[in-house]
Amino acid sequence: MKLHADRLEGVNAVFGHGPGEISINNTVFRHSVIVPWQGAILPWDVGAFESLTAAHFQQVADLKPELVIFGSGARIRFPAAALLRPLIERGIGVETMDTGAACRTYNVLAGEGRSVVLAAVLTPAA
């Protein structure tokens, strides 16, 4: 699905997503990513939802966003609260949704100038 976000200068935007890939600022990624509202897109060493650990969410928390949009993959899956502890302890909000919905939600919030991070799980296309 292609997305066309109204972009604020210097703010990262998702331009599209599909099975096993995501396009951010017109660069295609085929692995899980962390997309901060500003700055470098970071690889996220998450091969599958089942491999998530608290350390993965610590990496996201270290960016100090006000809100994290967690894209759990092709379908919505909620991580255990223990995995989210790094976010909870810092008072960082987290919303979970499938990765497609997460991309769209991230664009809206980033377009509003919010300090939001998209943490998107991508699995290889079949």
Side-chain angles (χ1 to χ4, degrees):
M1 168 182 289
K2 289 189 183 257
L3 304 174
H4 297 283
D6 292 332
R7 290 196 61 202
L8 295 175
E9 190 62 36
V11 174
N12 292 318
V14 177
F15 282 76
H17 65 87
E21 67 180 35
I22 186 171
S23 175
I24 304 156
N25 302 337
N26 288 319
T27 299
V28 175
F29 297 87
R30 291 185 175 85
H31 54 76
S32 298
V33 291
I34 298 171
V35 185
W37 67 103
Q38 294 180 321
I41 309 311
L42 305 170
W44 203 27
D45 186 26
V46 178
F49 179 86
E50 295 79 13
S51 66
L52 284 166
T53 66
H56 290 116
F57 288 101
Q58 182 64 55
Q59 186 181 4
V60 176
D62 288 345
L63 296 172
K64 301 177 182 168
E66 66 180 270
L67 179 62
V68 173
I69 305 300
F70 170 61
S72 60
R75 64 185 175 92
I76 188 167
R77 298 173 73 185
F78 294 91
L83 300 180
L84 300 175
R85 181 138 323 275
L87 300 170
I88 295 166
E89 288 176 349
R90 290 189 180 187
I92 298 170
V94 61
E95 292 291 335
T96 299
M97 50 196 75
D98 67 72
T99 297
C103 290
R104 294 184 296 275
T105 302
Y106 165 84
N107 275 352
V108 169
L109 295 172
E112 292 175 351
R114 304 275 301 273
S115 59
V116 62
V117 168
L118 170 64
V121 174
L122 296 176
T123 53

